[in-house]
């Protein structure tokens, strides 16, 4: 166990027992990862900020239920994903057209900083329905299992696999088309 994990583990034990300062430190240290995740999921800066704040509030309310079976950041991501999917169900198509160019710019910048190849896929991801984009991000960007994704999204395991399969097929087709266009330009 690394020093950082040990420190987090000690902070978690304190927070679960009601230590507000420990909880505040945990939330603060996980804020950035949660915000970046929600930005990728929502593709909307204002909505991502709102959902992160709501997630933090839920975490404060529910810290006593945290069982430490997963990392604290994973627990926060699960709460945030639930909140986002609930919001989508309530608001429907209203959010599906809220792709924010500022959010896309931030995500592109982040991925270029760590020299990932995601910037080319971002436009395709941004065009996908959230019910397909979220499982793709959870599985292939964050590395969560099919079972975790199914549980968080409240959908059957087969639906997760189907959405991932269809989303990846679309992503590959669009990226191949983009590669072909780049070849033709040169």
């Amino acid at each position: 166990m690394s020093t950082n994990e040990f420190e987090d583990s000690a902070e978690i034990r304190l927070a679960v027992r009601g230590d507000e300062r420990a909880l505040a430190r945990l939330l603060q240290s996980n804020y950035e990862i949660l915000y970046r995740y929600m930005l990728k999921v929502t593709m909307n800066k204002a909505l991502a900020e709102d959902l992160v704040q709501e997630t933090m509030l839920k975490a404060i309310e529910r810290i006593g239920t945290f069982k430490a079976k997963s990392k604290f950041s994973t627990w926060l991501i699960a709460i945030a994903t639930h909140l986002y999917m609930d919001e989508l169900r309530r608001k429907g198509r209203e959010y599906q057209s809220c792709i924010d160019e500022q959010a896309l710019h931030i995500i592109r910048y982040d991925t270029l900083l760590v020299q990932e190849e995601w910037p080319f896929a971002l436009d395709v991801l941004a065009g996908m329905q959230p019910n397909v984009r979220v499982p793709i991000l959870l599985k292939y960007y964050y590395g969560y299992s099919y079972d975790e994704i199914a549980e968080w999204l409240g959908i059957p395991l087969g639906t997760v696999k189907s959405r991932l399969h269809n989303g990846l097929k679309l992503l590959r087709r669009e990226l191949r088309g983009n590669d072909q266009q780049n070849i033709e330009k040169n």
Side-chain angles (χ1 to χ4, degrees):
M1 182 178 282
S2 73
T3 304
N4 196 26
E5 288 177 49
F6 180 74
E7 289 170 5
D8 282 352
S9 163
E11 292 284 0
I12 290 168
R13 282 194 302 277
L14 290 170
V16 169
R17 284 191 231 135
D19 185 323
E20 292 176 5
R21 287 190 197 141
L23 179 57
R25 286 188 296 268
L26 275 171
L27 293 175
Q28 185 177 15
S29 69
N30 284 280
Y31 182 89
E32 193 65 27
I33 190 171
L34 184 62
Y35 174 70
R36 297 293 181 202
Y37 166 72
M38 289 312 298
L39 200 54
K40 289 177 187 90
V41 166
T42 65
M43 300 281 178
N44 182 297
K45 189 175 185 296
L47 180 58
E49 290 168 351
D50 290 346
L51 288 169
V52 167
Q53 293 305 313
E54 194 173 340
T55 300
M56 295 293 180
L57 290 173
K58 292 281 185 200
I60 291 167
E61 292 170 3
R62 298 179 183 167
I63 188 62
T65 67
F66 181 67
K67 304 290 185 223
K69 291 180 182 176
S70 62
K71 291 172 38 177
F72 188 74
S73 60
T74 298
W75 185 63
L76 291 175
I77 285 172
I79 293 170
T81 302
H82 275 289
L83 290 172
Y84 178 60
M85 298 313 284
D86 287 347
E87 191 71 13
L88 282 178
R89 285 183 203 102
R90 276 195 302 275
K91 300 286 183 166
R93 297 208 175 266
E94 178 182 333
Y95 281 135
Q96 295 178 7
S97 62
C98 290
I99 303 302
D100 180 350
E101 284 302 315
Q102 184 180 13
L104 281 173
H105 179 73
I106 292 168
I107 297 166
R108 281 187 189 106
Y109 179 76
D110 282 352
T111 55
L112 288 172
L113 279 179
V114 292
Q115 299 176 346
E116 294 176 348
E117 295 192 24
W118 279 80
F120 301 112
L122 286 175
D123 291 330
V124 178
L125 285 170
M128 289 181 176
Q129 296 294 319
N131 65 353
V132 175
R133 180 173 58 241
V134 172
I136 287 175
L137 288 168
L138 287 170
K139 178 69 179 158
Y140 298 106
Y141 192 83
Y142 290 95
Y144 293 110
S145 72
Y146 294 112
D147 292 328
E148 288 171 314
I149 296 167
E151 181 183 333
W152 295 347
L153 300 181
I155 57 177
L157 184 60
T159 303
V160 169
K161 290 178 179 181
S162 173
R163 288 179 183 174
L164 286 168
H165 174 78
N166 292 331
L168 285 178
K169 196 161 64 171
L170 173 65
L171 190 59
R172 285 186 190 112
R173 185 174 59 235
E174 293 294 325
L175 291 176
R176 274 191 218 117
N178 187 34
D179 287 345
Q180 187 63 34
Q181 289 172 357
N182 288 337
I183 292 170
E184 291 170 3
K185 286 180 186 175
N186 294 328

